[in-house]
Amino acid sequence: MPQRSVLPDPFKFAAEGRSLSGVIPLAELRRLGDVLLDKSGSVQFSLVGEMGVDRKPRMRLAVSGELQVRCQRCLSSMVWPLELDALFELVRPGQSIADDELEEDGFDAIEATPDMDVTAFVEDEIVLAVPIAPRHEMCEAPRPDGGAIKESPFASLEKLRKTDGAE
Ligand SMILES: [Zn+2]
């Protein structure tokens, strides 16, 4: 089993402007549970520490990958492209940050503790990002009689060809 990524000291990580990147197998993301139809792939992440101009420690998290989810209209599988890129301000446990202050700055706060579990952090962000009811851009709901979901586009082409041939 791959090792989980852990930051011994997230504040130091940010202060020193360090970075960490890695790959997390989808099978490790247990909290995504049944949302994923295929757990054989993985997601890539990168975490970059920085100090803001206001001397506040921050981390930028970027995650990308492709998730197989179930379309909530036609109920077949679809690929949902995961593209996350967000900036977080590190706060110490118990330290509070006014919500309006964060909204102004445009990023979220994350409570950073020693030995921060980066895998769990990435998982949290994926869970928040996955759409509740993903849908194909174009598809049809299955027929209530349980018949064929849709005619293949090739079938209609076939019909056209036959019409041509009859002339
Ligand atoms: Zn669909």
Side-chain angles (χ1 to χ4, degrees):
M1 191 182 275
Q3 232 181 328
R4 292 176 82 86
S5 298
V6 169
L7 286 187
D9 185 343
F11 287 96
K12 195 175 168 193
F13 179 87
E16 294 178 354
R18 289 161 65 184
S19 61
L20 174 76
S21 60
V23 171
I24 303 175
L26 291 175
E28 290 266 294
L29 305 177
R30 304 234 169 75
R31 271 179 294 144
L32 281 170
D34 297 335
V35 170
L36 297 183
L37 299 182
D38 181 356
K39 296 180 185 176
S40 60
S42 57
V43 295
Q44 294 82 45
F45 75 90
S46 78
L47 193 63
V48 180
E50 62 177 53
M51 292 301 275
V53 284
D54 49 8
R55 303 300 301 157
K56 285 180 179 165
R58 306 212 169 104
M59 288 196 295
R60 178 176 290 281
L61 174 70
V63 190
S64 66
E66 287 188 340
L67 306 185
Q68 291 276 352
V69 297
R70 190 182 297 284
C71 168
Q72 294 304 301
R73 187 160 44 208
C74 70
L75 303 180
S76 61
S77 74
M78 63 178 280
V79 173
W80 182 71
L82 169 68
E83 284 295 339
L84 264 174
D85 189 355
L87 194 59
F88 298 86
E89 185 166 312
L90 303 186
V91 296
R92 297 193 183 273
Q95 179 190 352
S96 65
I97 288 198
D99 281 345
D100 54 343
E101 190 186 319
L102 284 172
E103 268 167 38
E104 221 167 81
D105 293 337
F107 40 75
D108 293 323
I110 175 175
E111 206 175 79
T113 50
D115 294 326
M116 177 184 161
D117 186 336
V118 176
T119 306
F121 173 46
V122 172
E123 183 169 22
D124 283 344
E125 294 307 309
I126 297 175
V127 168
L128 289 173
V130 169
I132 295 165
R135 284 183 172 89
H136 291 109
E137 265 178 50
M138 287 180 73
C139 68
E140 284 176 29
R143 292 180 188 163
D145 61 8
I149 289 174
K150 60 184 176 183
E151 197 174 42
S152 134
F154 298 107
S156 3
L157 272 178
E158 204 59 41
K159 271 183 210 155
L160 283 173
R161 275 201 209 109
K162 275 179 189 151
T163 317
D164 285 350
E167 283 176 4

